[in-house]
Amino acid sequence: MSDEGMVRRIRGIACSMRVPPQNANRMVDAARGVLNQLLADVYIFTDAASGAAAGASPGYGITLVAETTSGCLLSAEATATQGAGAASTGAADDEPLVVPEDIGRAAAQLLLDEVSRGGVTDGTHQALLLLLAALGPEEMNQVQEVTWALWQVACHATVYAL
């Protein structure tokens, strides 16, 4: 797989646990606001959980996946974190979560960054691609081009594998 192709569609899911379900809708609206300027085929689903099924911690996040014409999948995700003051004061429980609109826009921008870098896989999965290429037969381990970022990932993956 050496042809990256053009982005055909974008799919995603926005989830929220132990927070109002409108947070997931607000993330979707913000992400679609960025992505729909470039591509019309954008569908982001929502999933809101409450009660015992939601776990013990409140939060929300969004995952986006871009599928290209050659079948490559590029992904990006963003989750809510505590406000900026939490790290400096040590009072993490007192700080509010980042607003959902910022999370949606951040995930959309991260996905656009992955697409603009090019390649057949996103930055998160490059080490896995290199590992599988090294373990597989020689006929199957063709990678389009090695960029500096991919080379650094390969070096780190090799060090951890040893």
Side-chain angles (χ1 to χ4, degrees):
M1 180 181 281
S2 61
D3 177 31
E4 60 192 57
M6 301 291 291
V7 175
R8 177 173 42 173
R9 61 183 173 190
I10 296 175
R11 299 292 183 260
I13 185 164
C15 59
S16 63
M17 282 73 60
R18 290 196 179 268
V19 294
Q22 292 84 1
N23 286 348
N25 294 331
R26 290 167 57 189
M27 284 187 293
V28 169
D29 289 341
R32 286 182 61 100
V34 173
L35 297 172
N36 277 341
Q37 295 176 4
L38 305 170
L39 186 68
D41 193 4
V42 177
Y43 293 105
I44 305 171
F45 303 98
T46 59
D47 182 24
S50 61
S57 301
Y60 44 88
I62 185 170
T63 300
L64 300 172
V65 178
E67 182 181 345
T68 67
T69 54
S70 64
C72 298
L73 300 174
L74 305 171
S75 65
E77 62 184 17
T79 57
T81 58
Q82 299 293 330
S88 60
T89 63
D93 293 337
D94 297 339
E95 293 291 327
L97 294 173
V98 177
V99 295
E101 288 82 3
D102 291 344
I103 301 296
R105 275 189 233 103
Q109 189 60 47
L110 286 170
L111 183 65
L112 293 177
D113 290 344
E114 289 288 345
V115 171
S116 70
R117 266 190 230 118
V120 295
T121 186
D122 54 52
T124 307
H125 297 100
Q126 287 179 353
L128 180 62
L129 175 72
L130 288 174
L131 178 66
L132 294 175
L135 294 175
E138 289 184 29
E139 301 84 30
M140 299 297 291
N141 59 9
Q142 181 182 16
V143 178
Q144 183 178 5
E145 64 183 50
V146 176
T147 62
W148 178 247
L150 184 59
W151 179 253
Q152 288 177 327
V153 168
C155 291
H156 289 289
T158 304
V159 168
Y160 290 125
L162 298 176

